[in-house]
Amino acid sequence: MTPRFDAIGLVASDMAASVAFYRRLGFAFPEGAETEPHAEAQLSGGLRLLLDTEETVRSFHPAWQPGTGGRSSIALLCESPAEVDAVYEELLAAGHHGELKPWDAVWGQRYAAVQDPDGNGVDLFAPLPATSS
């Protein structure tokens, strides 16, 4: 038997803020998810994004403590370099923390990084147009 990748789980200190943040990025959380202790959004390929409140996690792991962040991120492919810039600016305008302003990375992508309400990294990227030499 081989385990298979099924879901990404995040702990939310404020479920409503986290659901709103990820909905802005196109994650389809069901109506009412913002008031639930556990919420799931179905992703392509059968994967899921899971959000649990701190209280939910402590209900089965009483000694759980939040991490300091910065050790993982979710990467989201955008349609174009312009979309990377637009999504980044939209999230900043909504009050979210921008970690890295959009820039043209040496590996051929427009890249930016923001943080969700709990400090989890969310990378935005799109391939740069090919340049002829």
Side-chain angles (χ1 to χ4, degrees):
M1 178 184 246
T2 303
R4 68 178 178 86
F5 185 43
D6 181 70
I8 299 164
L10 301 174
V11 180
S13 59
D14 180 335
M15 182 64 85
S18 292
V19 168
F21 176 86
Y22 285 103
R23 278 183 178 153
R24 277 187 185 277
L25 292 169
F27 290 78
F29 282 96
E31 288 303 315
E34 52 281 323
T35 63
E36 295 296 323
H38 173 84
E40 298 185 11
Q42 194 68 40
L43 308 176
S44 62
L47 296 175
R48 298 170 296 146
L49 177 63
L50 315 176
L51 298 176
D52 288 292
T53 64
E54 292 179 357
E55 295 78 20
T56 298
V57 173
R58 285 192 183 105
S59 74
F60 59 84
H61 184 3
W64 178 86
Q65 293 296 315
T68 56
R71 300 193 70 138
S72 64
S73 64
I74 295 172
L76 302 178
L77 173 64
C78 295
E79 290 288 323
S80 67
E83 186 180 34
V84 171
D85 295 356
V87 171
Y88 180 86
E89 290 302 326
E90 177 187 332
L91 292 171
L92 263 59
H96 300 289
H97 175 71
E99 191 164 358
L100 290 173
K101 291 180 182 178
W103 60 290
D104 293 344
V106 297
W107 55 84
Q109 294 175 333
R110 183 75 171 162
Y111 214 90
V114 296
Q115 291 181 349
D116 78 2
D118 292 295
N120 296 302
V122 177
D123 299 343
L124 307 169
F125 70 96
L128 290 169
T131 57
S132 47
S133 350

